[in-house]
Amino acid sequence: MTGKDYVTDADRALEETYEEPMTLAAYVDRIFENPSIASHASKYLLEAIEAAGTRTVVEEGEEKERYRFFDDPHNDGEHAILGNTEVLNGFVDDLRSIAAGRAKDEKIIWFEGPTATGKSELKRCLVNGLREYSKTPDGRRYTVEWNISTAEGSDRGLSYGDDVSAPDDQDWYESPVQAHPLSVFPENVREDLLAELNGELDDHVPIQVDAQLDPFSREAYDFLEERYRREGEEELFSAITDESHLRVKNYVVDVGQGVGVLHSEDDGPPKERLVGSWMHGMLQELDSRGRKNPQAFSYDGVLSQGNGVLTVVEDAAQHADLLQKLLNVPDEQSVKLDKGIGMDVDSQMLIISNPDLEAQLNQHSDRNGMDPLKALKRRLDKHRFGYLTNLSLETELIRRELTDETNVWEAGSYDELADRIRAPVTVTVKDRDGETRVQEFAPHAIEAAALYAVATRLDEENLPNGLDLVDKALIYDQGYLQEGDSRREKDEFDFDDDGNDGDHGIPVTYTRDTLAELLQTDRDRHHADLAVEDVVMPRDVLNAMVEGLIDAPVFSTGERSEFENRVVPVKNYIYDQQESDVIEAIMHDKRVDEETVAEYVEHVYAWETEEPLYNDRGERVEPDPLTMKLFEIEHLGRFSEAEYEGNQPRESVRNFRREKVITSLNRHAWEHRDEDFSVEDVDLTAIPVIKTVLESHDWDDVERTFEDFDPRQWSDPPSGTETAAVKENTIETMVDLFGYSEASAELTSRHVMGQVSYRWD
């Protein structure tokens, strides 16, 4: 594309975003065609969230419907809020009640949580989502602009902000607080209009527009009304709202225009932070019949900017004094510029804070009914963000912190997520001398960091017998726990729903900083004969995270001790994953083919159910005891010759066939009972014991397959030995199929073989 092509694309994008101004009558016709463009603030925010749709996620082991709006889809996921789906759903439910006027309409929504839990991302996600929604046909947002210089004989102009005179010859001035176009109508007419509009809505949330014109617009309206009334104009409203004086225009919602954001560093008196400030030098120059003129007001307060959509108070503990001034704003929907000048406000108020705000609010709680902050606390509707307790989400978050990845992870199955969790990460690093190099976090390294962080956030008090924190983390992420051939769903475990999961633990900022420091540290600590300084191994990550606890001021002494003790099961689990990778790479070419497995399953099914079994020529054959026996001994590795009498199975083998194979087949048949069921239709990987045969092996399989293999020779195997051949194929498989680099495959396999050597017979 040429530069001109890009400019043309930009023109087209803006053309689709903005419309030509229209008359008030045309706007009314438009809202009857598309009522959503007239929605009040809370309803508009609700519609923006719902317009993005939903998707199904698993969090804390439970399936939940998540609003895609919070994935920041319009910004390629850059400010997606990971996790906390239940909290966000609760927010949307409250928003729906507020929008419909069913209680809670006096509430100020409060998001509270420890540092690095996604609260700041919430603000950015809301701004991004509202901005992009306002560019769509259903999300258009409108306000009014005035021109009084066209009134006959007028020598007066409009102004606000820092400018006294009109900026151009047309003298059009937009409402500085995004006044709703319907607020121009007299109250009784507006009520009739809304009644008719809501009567046509197929929606349980009616549109509400209770606000009067903002003070700036009222000044223009009053001036025009007085001028035309003196002239005896009979159609007074039509004259005031004539297209030469009033236009309805759309605007793109953004910070300062429909969204007000009060940051922690913003200061000034409460009134100035809320609605803006008077510009005293202008008061003498503007005629306002003996009082302060709203045209001489800078509408730069958070409520003024957020009028019409959303008001956000960020880091609310820094503005605790302001919160009490907001007490009556939600229910009265008005605020004063001055004692004599009030302004109606339609804005969904939302505050964000760390737990320190709650400590401030509770400072007088021992005074019971005399608590001066009781009225404020009653109006706050708290939604608490917690630390992530899902391994996949924490892994995704850490990768975001280290790389430019922003896409939100969506997967058709957990196996897809598992591949992403274990995957390596490469990062380009610049040295002190200006040279750049690519460093690799080996497979399972980011997983190790994420799993350890999650383990520190889980409540250890409510662990069912036989489970450790890693088991709990896996259940929360998968929704189940696979134990050999058995799969146990989350609802089989007795977890305390009132536990403290996610209340505290290692924040992602600590993990990020630790990993970033590892990237800048020269590492030649593994083997002198390998150039591996550019590979960060899982044990490097876990050791660094534990060692850094002692100097990190964010942790208390008790937390340091607690977190140190939780690293052992994580190290064991990560080693098991590395060991599994090495074994599967060794045995990759020795896997049992699906035809052999299918033959075994068919014979077992025919053996138990007496269903007919046919060969390739269509001839009926009897189930072969030898075929089943050999498969169970050689491939399953579950039984020995002693458990058979000749080729006939003893009771233990018969029970295995019935409980592990036939039961799974029967379950599949039941789930497909409306279809023509046959063994050939079964996905063999749906049978846990068969899945094990197809996808996993152990050291017994390795020893049985490679009789001369010796793990003690792995670091430098003698040329021509079986160990050397196995190692060459294993490293190649780990690189080609499992995502390892040659260096990380070498280091991982050496680490595993070093442990196996001690117990090799």
Side-chain angles (χ1 to χ4, degrees), residues 169-422:
D169 56 0
Q170 290 184 312
D171 293 340
W172 284 103
Y173 279 87
E174 181 181 336
S175 163
V177 294
Q178 305 81 233
H180 197 295
L182 293 185
S183 64
V184 178
F185 285 96
E187 186 173 350
N188 60 331
V189 177
R190 183 170 67 244
E191 289 176 356
D192 292 342
L193 189 158
L194 288 172
E196 182 180 353
L197 181 63
N198 288 323
E200 298 182 6
L201 279 181
D202 184 20
D203 193 344
H204 66 286
V205 180
I207 296 173
Q208 305 170 34
V209 182
D210 301 324
Q212 304 299 317
L213 275 176
D214 65 278
F216 179 87
S217 298
R218 171 57 61 183
E219 195 76 8
Y221 186 99
D222 289 346
F223 173 82
L224 292 169
E225 180 183 29
E226 182 178 352
R227 176 62 59 92
Y228 285 115
R229 182 173 51 81
R230 282 203 311 264
E231 294 176 358
E233 178 64 54
E234 294 182 0
E235 296 179 341
L236 190 56
F237 185 78
S238 296
I240 295 170
T241 59
D242 182 81
E243 61 183 330
S244 63
H245 298 313
L246 175 68
R247 300 190 304 200
V248 176
K249 61 169 291 186
N250 78 301
Y251 65 93
V252 173
V253 173
D254 209 335
V255 175
Q257 192 158 32
V259 176
V261 179
L262 188 63
H263 302 91
S264 59
E265 65 271 19
D266 293 338
D267 56 13
K271 182 65 67 66
E272 187 173 316
R273 283 176 283 164
L274 280 176
V275 289
S277 59
W278 293 101
M279 295 169 286
H280 300 288
M282 297 174 60
L283 295 181
Q284 302 299 322
E285 300 177 30
L286 296 168
D287 174 28
S288 189
R289 296 170 295 283
R291 62 179 176 83
K292 288 182 179 178
N293 191 325
Q295 295 165 268
F297 193 80
S298 178
Y299 294 85
D300 56 0
V302 65
L303 287 174
S304 300
Q305 295 180 351
N307 186 51
V309 185
L310 176 68
T311 294
V312 179
V313 179
E314 195 178 39
D315 197 6
Q318 303 297 320
H319 297 286
D321 62 324
L322 192 69
L323 298 182
Q324 294 194 66
K325 302 293 183 182
L326 287 171
L327 272 181
N328 297 320
V329 173
D331 43 353
E332 294 181 3
Q333 294 188 325
S334 66
V335 67
K336 288 187 175 182
L337 310 185
D338 198 66
K339 291 181 180 179
I341 303 175
M343 180 174 74
D344 286 351
V345 176
D346 175 31
S347 184
Q348 179 56 55
M349 277 181 284
L350 185 151
I351 67 172
I352 299 173
S353 80
N354 290 329
D356 49 354
L357 175 62
E358 188 158 21
Q360 291 187 47
L361 295 176
N362 290 330
Q363 60 182 310
H364 304 296
S365 57
D366 57 344
R367 296 170 62 177
N368 299 319
M370 302 299 292
D371 184 351
L373 299 177
K374 188 174 183 179
L376 172 59
K377 289 190 286 186
R378 182 180 67 80
R379 282 177 167 82
L380 294 176
D381 189 16
K382 184 165 75 170
H383 298 270
R384 191 176 193 283
F385 269 11
Y387 287 120
L388 297 178
T389 54
N390 275 56
L391 171 60
S392 55
L393 289 173
E394 185 67 15
T395 305
E396 180 180 359
L397 181 58
I398 294 172
R399 291 177 70 103
R400 282 167 166 262
E401 293 286 334
L402 293 174
T403 69
D404 294 329
E405 297 177 15
T406 59
N407 291 335
V408 174
W409 287 4
E410 295 189 51
S413 68
Y414 189 77
D415 288 342
E416 292 181 40
L417 279 181
D419 289 340
R420 297 178 188 177
I421 292 169
R422 64 177 295 283

